[in-house]
Amino acid sequence: MDRFLVERSGPLRGTVEVGGAKNAALPIMAACLLTEEESLLDGVPRVTDVESMLNILRVLGVECFWNGDTLVLRPGGYTGWTAPYELVSLMRASVCVLGPLLAKQGRARVPLPGGCVIGLRPIDLHLKGLQALGAEIVMDHGDIVARAERLCGNTAHVAGPSGSSVLATANVMMVATLAEGVTIIEQAACEPEVVDLANFLIAMGAKIVGHGTSIMHVEGVSRLRGARYRVIADRIEAGTLLMATAMLGGDVLVRGAREDHLRAVVDKLIEACVTIEQEDGGLRVRSTRELKGVEVTTLPFPGFPTDLQAPMTALMSVSRGVSLMTEKIYPERFMHVPELKRMGAQISREGPSAIVKGVERLSGAPVNASDLRAAAALVLAGLVAENCTEVFGIEHLDRGYAHLEQKLVSLGARLTRERSS
Ligand code: EPU
Protein backbone atom coordinates (compact mmCIF):
# COMPACT_ATOMS: atom_id res chain seq x y z
CA MET A 1 0.00 0.00 0.00
CA ASP A 2 1.23 3.52 -0.79
CA ARG A 3 1.84 6.07 1.95
CA PHE A 4 2.46 9.79 2.08
CA LEU A 5 5.45 11.40 3.73
CA VAL A 6 4.25 14.83 4.77
CA GLU A 7 6.54 17.67 5.95
CA ARG A 8 5.68 20.92 7.68
CA SER A 9 4.97 23.39 4.87
CA GLY A 10 3.60 26.74 3.93
CA PRO A 11 2.58 29.29 3.08
CA LEU A 12 0.71 28.10 -0.03
CA ARG A 13 0.69 30.36 -3.09
CA GLY A 14 -0.67 30.17 -6.62
CA THR A 15 -3.72 28.98 -8.53
CA VAL A 16 -5.26 25.53 -8.42
CA GLU A 17 -8.09 24.04 -10.47
CA VAL A 18 -10.78 21.96 -8.80
CA GLY A 19 -11.62 18.67 -10.55
CA GLY A 20 -15.04 17.21 -11.30
CA ALA A 21 -17.20 16.00 -8.43
CA LYS A 22 -16.99 12.29 -7.66
CA ASN A 23 -20.37 12.34 -5.91
CA ALA A 24 -22.00 13.95 -8.94
CA ALA A 25 -20.22 11.69 -11.44
CA LEU A 26 -21.15 8.33 -9.84
CA PRO A 27 -24.98 8.67 -10.04
CA ILE A 28 -24.69 10.33 -13.46
CA MET A 29 -22.71 7.33 -14.72
CA ALA A 30 -25.42 5.03 -13.30
CA ALA A 31 -28.10 7.14 -15.02
CA CYS A 32 -26.59 6.15 -18.38
CA LEU A 33 -28.25 2.76 -17.78
CA LEU A 34 -31.62 4.47 -18.44
CA THR A 35 -31.00 4.66 -22.19
CA GLU A 36 -29.57 2.53 -25.02
CA GLU A 37 -27.86 5.57 -26.51
CA GLU A 38 -24.28 6.74 -26.01
CA SER A 39 -23.54 9.42 -23.39
CA LEU A 40 -20.39 11.52 -23.25
CA LEU A 41 -19.33 12.77 -19.83
CA ASP A 42 -16.74 15.48 -19.27
CA GLY A 43 -15.14 16.38 -15.97
CA VAL A 44 -15.43 12.87 -14.49
CA PRO A 45 -12.55 12.58 -11.99
CA ARG A 46 -10.06 9.73 -12.44
CA VAL A 47 -10.51 8.27 -8.97
CA THR A 48 -10.82 4.66 -7.94
CA ASP A 49 -14.55 4.94 -7.08
CA VAL A 50 -15.14 5.97 -10.69
CA GLU A 51 -13.11 2.92 -11.81
CA SER A 52 -15.28 0.73 -9.56
CA MET A 53 -18.46 2.16 -11.12
CA LEU A 54 -17.02 1.60 -14.62
CA ASN A 55 -16.32 -2.02 -13.72
CA ILE A 56 -19.92 -2.48 -12.54
CA LEU A 57 -21.27 -0.91 -15.74
CA ARG A 58 -19.03 -3.20 -17.81
CA VAL A 59 -20.31 -6.30 -16.00
CA LEU A 60 -23.87 -5.14 -16.80
CA GLY A 61 -22.92 -5.00 -20.49
CA VAL A 62 -22.14 -1.31 -21.02
CA GLU A 63 -19.19 -0.44 -23.27
CA CYS A 64 -17.14 2.16 -21.38
CA PHE A 65 -13.92 3.90 -22.36
CA TRP A 66 -12.05 7.17 -22.04
CA ASN A 67 -11.56 9.30 -25.13
CA GLY A 68 -8.98 11.76 -23.80
CA ASP A 69 -10.69 13.34 -20.79
CA THR A 70 -14.19 12.43 -21.98
CA LEU A 71 -15.83 9.31 -20.61
CA VAL A 72 -17.81 7.45 -23.27
CA LEU A 73 -20.62 5.18 -22.06
CA ARG A 74 -22.42 2.99 -24.62
CA PRO A 75 -25.14 0.87 -23.03
CA GLY A 76 -26.55 -0.40 -26.35
CA GLY A 77 -28.92 -3.27 -25.63
CA TYR A 78 -27.24 -4.26 -22.37
CA THR A 79 -29.07 -7.06 -20.58
CA GLY A 80 -27.29 -7.31 -17.22
CA TRP A 81 -29.34 -6.71 -14.10
CA THR A 82 -27.04 -8.10 -11.38
CA ALA A 83 -24.30 -6.02 -9.78
CA PRO A 84 -21.53 -8.31 -8.48
CA TYR A 85 -20.78 -8.42 -4.75
CA GLU A 86 -16.99 -8.07 -5.23
CA LEU A 87 -17.52 -4.68 -6.86
CA VAL A 88 -20.45 -3.40 -4.79
CA SER A 89 -18.59 -4.21 -1.56
CA LEU A 90 -15.83 -1.80 -2.65
CA MET A 91 -18.13 1.19 -2.79
CA ARG A 92 -21.50 1.94 -1.19
CA ALA A 93 -22.41 4.34 -3.99
CA SER A 94 -22.91 1.26 -6.19
CA VAL A 95 -26.45 1.24 -4.79
CA CYS A 96 -27.31 3.96 -7.31
CA VAL A 97 -27.46 1.37 -10.12
CA LEU A 98 -30.52 -0.11 -8.39
CA GLY A 99 -32.98 2.51 -9.66
CA PRO A 100 -31.82 2.67 -13.30
CA LEU A 101 -31.71 -1.16 -13.64
CA LEU A 102 -35.21 -1.47 -12.22
CA ALA A 103 -36.52 1.30 -14.47
CA LYS A 104 -34.93 0.00 -17.67
CA GLN A 105 -34.78 -3.80 -17.20
CA GLY A 106 -37.76 -4.21 -14.86
CA ARG A 107 -35.52 -6.02 -12.40
CA ALA A 108 -32.33 -5.49 -10.42
CA ARG A 109 -30.19 -7.55 -8.08
CA VAL A 110 -27.75 -5.47 -6.03
CA PRO A 111 -25.91 -6.78 -2.96
CA LEU A 112 -26.88 -4.96 0.20
CA PRO A 113 -23.97 -2.64 0.89
CA GLY A 114 -22.27 -3.77 4.07
CA GLY A 115 -21.02 -1.86 7.11
CA CYS A 116 -18.88 1.20 6.73
CA VAL A 117 -16.27 2.96 8.83
CA ILE A 118 -18.28 6.18 8.91
CA GLY A 119 -21.13 4.47 10.73
CA LEU A 120 -24.44 2.81 9.99
CA ARG A 121 -25.61 3.51 6.47
CA PRO A 122 -29.06 1.98 6.02
CA ILE A 123 -30.83 1.98 2.66
CA ASP A 124 -34.43 1.76 3.87
CA LEU A 125 -35.30 5.10 2.25
CA HIS A 126 -34.15 3.87 -1.17
CA LEU A 127 -36.29 0.75 -0.84
CA LYS A 128 -39.39 2.57 0.44
CA GLY A 129 -39.12 5.09 -2.36
CA LEU A 130 -38.87 2.40 -5.05
CA GLN A 131 -41.73 0.44 -3.46
CA ALA A 132 -43.92 3.57 -3.60
CA LEU A 133 -43.41 3.54 -7.37
CA GLY A 134 -44.49 -0.09 -7.65
CA ALA A 135 -41.34 -2.15 -7.10
CA GLU A 136 -41.55 -5.48 -5.28
CA ILE A 137 -38.47 -5.93 -3.17
CA VAL A 138 -37.18 -9.03 -1.41
CA MET A 139 -33.86 -9.86 0.20
CA ASP A 140 -32.13 -12.98 -1.13
CA HIS A 141 -28.72 -14.21 0.08
CA GLY A 142 -27.70 -10.71 1.10
CA ASP A 143 -28.88 -9.20 -2.18
CA ILE A 144 -31.66 -6.70 -2.76
CA VAL A 145 -33.84 -8.13 -5.51
CA ALA A 146 -36.25 -5.59 -6.99
CA ARG A 147 -38.81 -6.29 -9.71
CA ALA A 148 -41.58 -4.30 -11.33
CA GLU A 149 -43.96 -5.18 -14.16
CA ARG A 150 -45.05 -1.57 -14.28
CA LEU A 151 -43.70 1.49 -12.48
CA CYS A 152 -46.21 4.23 -11.69
CA GLY A 153 -45.73 7.75 -10.40
CA ASN A 154 -46.58 8.29 -6.73
CA THR A 155 -45.52 10.35 -3.75
CA ALA A 156 -42.20 9.20 -2.27
CA HIS A 157 -40.51 10.43 0.91
CA VAL A 158 -36.75 10.22 1.05
CA ALA A 159 -35.91 11.59 4.49
CA GLY A 160 -35.08 9.79 7.73
CA PRO A 161 -34.06 10.95 11.20
CA SER A 162 -30.82 12.51 9.87
CA GLY A 163 -32.53 14.38 7.06
CA SER A 164 -32.91 13.72 3.34
CA SER A 165 -30.90 10.99 1.70
CA VAL A 166 -28.81 12.08 -1.28
CA LEU A 167 -28.63 8.74 -3.09
CA ALA A 168 -32.23 7.72 -2.19
CA THR A 169 -33.33 10.97 -3.88
CA ALA A 170 -31.15 10.01 -6.85
CA ASN A 171 -32.54 6.46 -7.09
CA VAL A 172 -36.19 7.54 -6.85
CA MET A 173 -35.66 10.39 -9.32
CA MET A 174 -34.06 8.02 -11.85
CA VAL A 175 -36.88 5.47 -11.60
CA ALA A 176 -39.51 8.23 -11.83
CA THR A 177 -38.11 9.47 -15.16
CA LEU A 178 -39.37 6.28 -16.84
CA ALA A 179 -42.41 5.55 -14.61
CA GLU A 180 -45.95 6.22 -15.86
CA GLY A 181 -47.37 9.51 -14.59
CA VAL A 182 -46.06 12.02 -12.11
CA THR A 183 -43.89 11.32 -9.08
CA ILE A 184 -43.64 13.81 -6.25
CA ILE A 185 -40.44 13.42 -4.24
CA GLU A 186 -41.00 14.94 -0.80
CA GLN A 187 -38.15 16.07 1.46
CA ALA A 188 -35.83 15.62 -1.51
CA ALA A 189 -32.12 16.20 -0.90
CA CYS A 190 -31.02 19.62 -2.23
CA GLU A 191 -27.28 18.85 -2.60
CA PRO A 192 -25.62 20.31 -5.74
CA GLU A 193 -24.83 16.72 -6.81
CA VAL A 194 -28.59 15.91 -6.86
CA VAL A 195 -29.21 19.03 -8.94
CA ASP A 196 -26.43 17.96 -11.30
CA LEU A 197 -28.01 14.53 -11.76
CA ALA A 198 -31.38 16.19 -12.44
CA ASN A 199 -29.76 18.43 -15.05
CA PHE A 200 -28.16 15.43 -16.73
CA LEU A 201 -31.49 13.57 -16.77
CA ILE A 202 -33.16 16.66 -18.25
CA ALA A 203 -30.46 16.69 -20.96
CA MET A 204 -31.47 13.05 -21.61
CA GLY A 205 -35.11 14.14 -22.10
CA ALA A 206 -36.49 13.70 -18.57
CA LYS A 207 -39.19 16.04 -17.26
CA ILE A 208 -38.12 17.24 -13.83
CA VAL A 209 -38.92 20.41 -11.90
CA GLY A 210 -38.11 21.50 -8.37
CA HIS A 211 -34.58 20.05 -8.21
CA GLY A 212 -32.56 21.98 -5.65
CA THR A 213 -35.70 22.33 -3.48
CA SER A 214 -37.26 19.85 -1.08
CA ILE A 215 -40.21 19.01 -3.37
CA MET A 216 -39.47 17.64 -6.81
CA HIS A 217 -41.92 16.70 -9.55
CA VAL A 218 -40.90 14.12 -12.13
CA GLU A 219 -43.18 13.34 -15.06
CA GLY A 220 -42.33 9.99 -16.60
CA VAL A 221 -41.43 9.75 -20.29
CA SER A 222 -41.41 6.66 -22.51
CA ARG A 223 -37.70 6.81 -23.30
CA LEU A 224 -34.55 8.79 -22.62
CA ARG A 225 -31.73 9.57 -25.02
CA GLY A 226 -27.99 9.78 -24.54
CA ALA A 227 -26.48 13.18 -23.70
CA ARG A 228 -23.21 15.05 -23.54
CA TYR A 229 -22.70 16.59 -20.13
CA ARG A 230 -20.01 18.16 -17.92
CA VAL A 231 -20.22 17.31 -14.22
CA ILE A 232 -19.89 20.10 -11.67
CA ALA A 233 -16.65 20.92 -9.87
CA ASP A 234 -16.08 19.06 -6.62
CA ARG A 235 -17.16 21.28 -3.71
CA ILE A 236 -15.52 18.93 -1.21
CA GLU A 237 -12.14 19.06 -2.96
CA ALA A 238 -12.55 22.85 -3.20
CA GLY A 239 -13.34 23.07 0.51
CA THR A 240 -10.32 20.89 1.34
CA LEU A 241 -8.06 23.24 -0.63
CA LEU A 242 -9.55 26.30 1.12
CA MET A 243 -8.89 24.65 4.48
CA ALA A 244 -5.33 23.67 3.52
CA THR A 245 -4.56 27.31 2.69
CA ALA A 246 -6.30 28.50 5.84
CA MET A 247 -4.10 26.20 7.95
CA LEU A 248 -0.80 26.72 6.13
CA GLY A 249 -1.26 30.43 5.44
CA GLY A 250 -0.77 32.08 2.04
CA ASP A 251 -2.79 33.31 -0.91
CA VAL A 252 -4.42 30.84 -3.31
CA LEU A 253 -7.00 31.12 -6.07
CA VAL A 254 -9.12 27.95 -6.01
CA ARG A 255 -10.49 28.00 -9.55
CA GLY A 256 -13.85 26.30 -10.00
CA ALA A 257 -14.79 26.68 -6.31
CA ARG A 258 -18.37 28.01 -6.12
CA GLU A 259 -19.53 30.19 -3.28
CA ASP A 260 -23.14 29.02 -3.78
CA HIS A 261 -21.99 25.41 -3.22
CA LEU A 262 -19.80 26.28 -0.24
CA ARG A 263 -21.59 29.08 1.61
CA ALA A 264 -21.67 27.38 5.03
CA VAL A 265 -17.98 26.47 4.71
CA VAL A 266 -16.94 29.94 3.57
CA ASP A 267 -18.92 31.52 6.44
CA LYS A 268 -17.15 29.33 9.01
CA LEU A 269 -13.70 29.96 7.54
CA ILE A 270 -14.34 33.71 7.58
CA GLU A 271 -15.44 33.40 11.21
CA ALA A 272 -12.13 31.58 11.85
CA CYS A 273 -10.30 34.73 10.52
CA VAL A 274 -9.63 33.55 6.96
CA THR A 275 -10.22 35.98 4.08
CA ILE A 276 -12.24 34.53 1.18
CA GLU A 277 -13.37 36.48 -1.86
CA GLN A 278 -15.06 35.54 -5.10
CA GLU A 279 -12.78 36.17 -8.08
CA ASP A 280 -12.14 35.06 -11.67
CA GLY A 281 -14.28 31.92 -11.73
CA GLY A 282 -13.21 30.80 -8.29
CA LEU A 283 -12.59 31.69 -4.68
CA ARG A 284 -9.43 33.45 -3.49
CA VAL A 285 -8.36 32.46 0.00
CA ARG A 286 -5.85 34.37 2.10
CA SER A 287 -4.69 33.38 5.53
CA THR A 288 -2.08 34.45 8.07
CA ARG A 289 -2.48 31.02 9.70
CA GLU A 290 -3.68 32.75 12.91
CA LEU A 291 -7.00 30.94 13.20
CA LYS A 292 -9.76 31.32 15.76
CA GLY A 293 -11.86 28.43 17.09
CA VAL A 294 -15.44 28.08 15.80
CA GLU A 295 -18.53 25.95 16.34
CA VAL A 296 -19.69 23.83 13.42
CA THR A 297 -22.62 21.44 12.97
CA THR A 298 -22.80 19.24 9.88
CA LEU A 299 -26.19 19.26 8.19
CA PRO A 300 -27.73 18.44 4.80
CA PHE A 301 -27.12 21.09 2.11
CA PRO A 302 -27.01 24.08 2.41
CA GLY A 303 -25.58 23.26 5.84
CA PHE A 304 -21.93 22.44 6.53
CA PRO A 305 -21.16 19.17 4.66
CA THR A 306 -20.27 16.03 6.61
CA ASP A 307 -17.64 15.31 3.95
CA LEU A 308 -15.65 18.34 5.18
CA GLN A 309 -16.05 17.53 8.86
CA ALA A 310 -12.72 15.68 9.16
CA PRO A 311 -10.57 18.35 7.41
CA MET A 312 -12.35 21.05 9.45
CA THR A 313 -11.60 19.13 12.66
CA ALA A 314 -7.92 19.12 11.65
CA LEU A 315 -8.14 22.89 11.16
CA MET A 316 -9.77 23.31 14.58
CA SER A 317 -6.87 21.38 16.13
CA VAL A 318 -4.55 24.31 15.40
CA SER A 319 -7.04 27.16 15.94
CA ARG A 320 -6.86 29.40 18.99
CA GLY A 321 -9.36 28.60 21.77
CA VAL A 322 -11.97 25.88 21.93
CA SER A 323 -13.91 24.67 18.90
CA LEU A 324 -16.95 22.43 18.78
CA MET A 325 -17.70 20.03 15.92
CA THR A 326 -21.11 18.32 15.96
CA GLU A 327 -21.78 15.62 13.37
CA LYS A 328 -25.50 15.32 12.60
CA ILE A 329 -25.31 13.14 9.48
CA TYR A 330 -23.00 10.33 10.59
CA PRO A 331 -22.64 10.66 14.40
CA GLU A 332 -19.86 8.02 14.41
CA ARG A 333 -17.76 9.65 11.70
CA PHE A 334 -14.84 10.45 14.01
CA MET A 335 -12.27 7.77 13.16
CA HIS A 336 -9.74 10.53 12.37
CA VAL A 337 -9.91 11.84 15.94
CA PRO A 338 -7.68 9.18 17.59
CA GLU A 339 -5.16 9.68 14.75
CA LEU A 340 -5.16 13.48 15.19
CA LYS A 341 -4.66 12.90 18.92
CA ARG A 342 -1.57 10.80 18.12
CA MET A 343 -0.24 13.97 16.51
CA GLY A 344 -0.84 16.01 19.67
CA ALA A 345 -4.34 17.35 18.98
CA GLN A 346 -6.44 17.90 22.10
CA ILE A 347 -9.85 16.50 21.27
CA SER A 348 -12.48 14.92 23.48
CA ARG A 349 -15.65 13.24 22.30
CA GLU A 350 -19.12 13.73 23.71
CA GLY A 351 -21.74 11.77 21.78
CA PRO A 352 -21.93 13.20 18.25
CA SER A 353 -19.60 16.10 19.15
CA ALA A 354 -15.87 16.64 19.27
CA ILE A 355 -14.57 19.34 21.58
CA VAL A 356 -11.29 20.60 20.18
CA LYS A 357 -8.84 22.66 22.23
CA GLY A 358 -6.47 24.32 19.79
CA VAL A 359 -2.74 23.65 20.24
CA GLU A 360 0.23 25.74 19.02
CA ARG A 361 1.85 22.81 17.21
CA LEU A 362 1.01 19.30 16.12
CA SER A 363 3.83 16.81 15.92
CA GLY A 364 4.42 14.33 13.11
CA ALA A 365 3.60 10.65 13.67
CA PRO A 366 2.67 7.59 11.66
CA VAL A 367 -1.13 7.76 11.25
CA ASN A 368 -3.70 5.63 9.51
CA ALA A 369 -6.56 6.94 7.39
CA SER A 370 -9.87 5.09 7.75
CA ASP A 371 -11.78 6.77 4.90
CA LEU A 372 -11.13 9.31 2.19
CA ARG A 373 -12.11 12.42 4.15
CA ALA A 374 -10.11 11.20 7.18
CA ALA A 375 -7.14 10.80 4.83
CA ALA A 376 -7.47 14.42 3.69
CA ALA A 377 -7.67 15.58 7.32
CA LEU A 378 -4.47 13.72 8.22
CA VAL A 379 -2.62 15.16 5.22
CA LEU A 380 -3.62 18.70 6.27
CA ALA A 381 -2.59 17.99 9.87
CA GLY A 382 0.75 16.61 8.65
CA LEU A 383 1.40 19.78 6.65
CA VAL A 384 1.27 21.92 9.82
CA ALA A 385 2.99 19.42 12.12
CA GLU A 386 6.62 19.44 13.26
CA ASN A 387 8.74 16.69 11.72
CA CYS A 388 7.56 14.13 9.26
CA THR A 389 4.08 12.58 9.27
CA GLU A 390 3.57 9.23 7.57
CA VAL A 391 -0.01 8.84 6.36
CA PHE A 392 -1.01 5.23 5.73
CA GLY A 393 -4.28 4.15 4.14
CA ILE A 394 -4.08 6.62 1.28
CA GLU A 395 -5.83 4.17 -1.01
CA HIS A 396 -8.89 5.72 0.66
CA LEU A 397 -7.81 9.18 -0.50
CA ASP A 398 -7.43 7.84 -4.03
CA ARG A 399 -11.10 6.77 -3.99
CA GLY A 400 -12.28 10.34 -4.10
CA TYR A 401 -9.54 12.95 -4.59
CA ALA A 402 -7.85 13.12 -8.00
CA HIS A 403 -4.24 14.39 -7.83
CA LEU A 404 -4.66 16.06 -4.43
CA GLU A 405 -0.98 15.70 -3.64
CA GLN A 406 0.14 17.18 -6.97
CA LYS A 407 -2.24 20.09 -6.45
CA LEU A 408 -0.92 20.77 -2.94
CA VAL A 409 2.71 20.40 -4.10
CA SER A 410 2.09 22.87 -6.96
CA LEU A 411 1.10 25.42 -4.29
CA GLY A 412 4.25 24.80 -2.23
CA ALA A 413 3.28 21.97 0.10
CA ARG A 414 5.89 19.32 0.89
CA LEU A 415 4.58 15.81 0.59
CA THR A 416 5.60 12.77 -1.40
CA ARG A 417 3.96 9.48 -2.18
CA GLU A 418 6.01 6.39 -1.38
CA ARG A 419 4.84 3.59 -3.61
CA SER A 420 4.85 0.10 -2.19
CA SER A 421 6.61 -2.25 -4.53
N1 EPU B 1 -30.04 7.25 5.68
C1 EPU B 1 -31.07 6.48 6.18
N2 EPU B 1 -31.68 5.61 5.31
C2 EPU B 1 -31.35 5.51 4.00
C3 EPU B 1 -30.29 6.32 3.49
C4 EPU B 1 -29.65 7.17 4.37
O1 EPU B 1 -31.41 6.57 7.34
O2 EPU B 1 -31.97 4.73 3.28
C5 EPU B 1 -29.34 8.20 6.57
C6 EPU B 1 -27.84 7.95 6.66
O3 EPU B 1 -27.54 6.97 7.63
C7 EPU B 1 -27.32 9.32 7.03
C8 EPU B 1 -28.26 10.25 6.27
O4 EPU B 1 -29.44 9.48 5.99
O5 EPU B 1 -27.47 9.55 8.39
C9 EPU B 1 -27.72 10.81 4.97
O6 EPU B 1 -27.16 9.80 4.18
P1 EPU B 1 -27.27 9.83 2.60
O7 EPU B 1 -28.19 8.75 2.14
O8 EPU B 1 -27.59 11.23 2.16
O9 EPU B 1 -25.81 9.45 2.13
P2 EPU B 1 -25.46 8.80 0.75
O10 EPU B 1 -26.39 9.29 -0.26
O11 EPU B 1 -25.30 7.32 0.91
C10 EPU B 1 -23.84 10.67 -0.10
C11 EPU B 1 -22.40 10.80 -0.41
C12 EPU B 1 -21.57 10.74 0.87
C13 EPU B 1 -22.02 11.87 1.78
C14 EPU B 1 -23.54 11.76 2.05
C15 EPU B 1 -24.09 12.90 2.87
C16 EPU B 1 -22.22 9.85 -2.61
C17 EPU B 1 -21.67 8.81 -3.49
N3 EPU B 1 -21.99 9.74 -1.30
O12 EPU B 1 -24.01 9.40 0.52
O13 EPU B 1 -20.21 10.95 0.50
O14 EPU B 1 -21.32 11.82 3.00
O15 EPU B 1 -24.24 11.73 0.78
O16 EPU B 1 -23.88 14.11 2.22
O17 EPU B 1 -22.81 10.80 -3.09
C18 EPU B 1 -17.88 10.85 0.70
O18 EPU B 1 -17.80 11.30 -0.45
O19 EPU B 1 -16.90 10.78 1.48
C19 EPU B 1 -19.18 10.37 1.17
C20 EPU B 1 -19.31 9.51 2.18
Side-chain angles (χ1 to χ4, degrees):
M1 295 293 175
D2 296 355
R3 61 179 178 153
F4 280 146
L5 299 180
V6 187
E7 306 276 350
R8 185 173 165 82
S9 316
L12 299 183
R13 298 201 187 279
T15 298
V16 65
E17 185 85 35
V18 181
K22 167 195 73 106
N23 287 350
L26 294 173
I28 286 175
M29 290 166 69
C32 292
L33 293 166
L34 292 164
T35 180
E36 309 77 42
E37 293 183 17
E38 171 184 281
S39 290
L40 302 175
L41 304 179
D42 296 305
V44 176
R46 303 268 191 137
V47 293
T48 52
D49 274 7
V50 163
E51 285 307 321
S52 298
M53 181 59 86
L54 284 174
N55 288 335
I56 292 173
L57 295 179
R58 286 187 182 115
V59 168
L60 294 169
V62 179
E63 187 187 345
C64 313
F65 59 94
W66 295 92
N67 182 5
D69 287 336
T70 302
L71 181 58
V72 182
L73 298 176
R74 286 187 186 152
Y78 80 93
T79 51
W81 59 285
T82 301
Y85 175 75
E86 319 78 80
L87 295 175
V88 172
S89 61
L90 295 176
M91 179 182 70
R92 293 186 56 90
S94 325
V95 75
C96 56
V97 300
L98 182 61
L101 287 177
L102 179 70
K104 190 69 181 154
Q105 309 279 38
R107 54 187 185 166
R109 179 184 276 269
V110 179
L112 192 65
C116 173
V117 288
I118 69 176
L120 282 180
R121 295 181 72 185
I123 59 151
D124 55 309
L125 299 169
H126 299 242
L127 304 187
K128 275 190 216 144
L130 302 187
Q131 281 165 330
L133 272 67
E136 279 175 30
I137 298 179
V138 292
M139 300 307 299
D140 178 41
H141 284 290
D143 293 348
I144 308 156
V145 183
R147 286 176 196 274
E149 289 286 305
R150 214 173 131 213
L151 290 157
C152 293
N154 198 351
T155 299
H157 306 262
V158 284
S162 310
S164 307
S165 163
V166 172
L167 291 179
T169 306
N171 257 328
V172 173
M173 176 172 35
M174 290 190 279
V175 171
T177 59
L178 290 179
E180 283 172 40
V182 174
T183 296
I184 298 172
I185 308 179
E186 292 190 337
Q187 291 176 285
C190 302
E191 270 67 9
E193 294 77 16
V194 172
V195 175
D196 210 35
L197 172 64
N199 286 333
F200 175 63
L201 292 168
I202 290 167
M204 294 173 85
K207 293 190 177 162
I208 301 174
V209 292
H211 41 300
T213 75
S214 57
I215 299 197
M216 296 175 57
H217 286 70
V218 185
E219 189 185 333
V221 295
S222 57
R223 62 180 294 274
L224 294 172
R225 52 181 181 268
R228 176 155 205 155
Y229 194 76
R230 173 170 289 279
V231 302
I232 50 169
D234 194 318
R235 66 192 167 107
I236 306 302
E237 182 195 325
T240 305
L241 291 164
L242 293 178
M243 289 173 193
T245 312
M247 290 169 73
L248 275 71
D251 182 343
V252 170
L253 175 61
V254 183
R255 215 191 280 275
R258 287 176 55 167
E259 214 263 340
D260 57 336
H261 288 175
L262 282 162
R263 197 157 292 137
V265 175
V266 167
D267 284 353
K268 282 297 162 190
L269 290 176
I270 290 174
E271 200 183 318
C273 297
V274 181
T275 305
I276 300 185
E277 285 160 0
Q278 227 165 337
E279 188 189 306
D280 253 0
L283 294 174
R284 178 168 294 280
V285 49
R286 294 190 188 89
S287 165
T288 57
R289 103 189 257 172
E290 295 287 312
L291 303 172
K292 177 168 113 16
V294 290
E295 287 188 15
V296 171
T297 301
T298 65
L299 289 169
F301 189 82
F304 193 99
T306 174
D307 294 341
L308 283 170
Q309 183 258 109
M312 190 69 186
T313 305
L315 181 146
M316 289 170 164
S317 304
V318 289
S319 300
R320 197 167 13 94
V322 177
S323 296
L324 182 65
M325 173 59 81
T326 302
E327 174 57 73
K328 291 271 184 158
I329 310 291
Y330 298 115
E332 298 302 320
R333 195 178 200 175
F334 283 113
M335 301 286 279
H336 45 287
V337 165
E339 303 303 300
L340 289 171
K341 285 171 81 167
R342 300 192 67 242
M343 299 176 69
Q346 288 196 15
I347 307 178
S348 55
R349 283 279 312 280
E350 253 180 49
S353 297
I355 301 147
V356 188
K357 198 164 162 237
V359 293
E360 281 283 309
R361 287 281 149 91
L362 294 173
S363 61
V367 285
N368 194 24
S370 52
D371 80 296
L372 75 157
R373 310 304 173 190
L378 297 175
V379 168
L380 299 197
L383 289 170
V384 293
E386 300 285 7
N387 309 317
C388 181
T389 299
E390 281 167 280
V391 183
F392 293 90
I394 58 171
E395 64 278 7
H396 295 296
L397 191 108
D398 295 334
R399 289 184 55 179
Y401 287 95
H403 315 300
L404 185 69
E405 80 253 40
Q406 289 94 323
K407 288 182 185 184
L408 289 168
V409 166
S410 77
L411 298 171
R414 299 196 297 152
L415 73 157
T416 50
R417 181 183 288 250
E418 284 231 324
R419 295 199 182 272
S420 56
S421 45

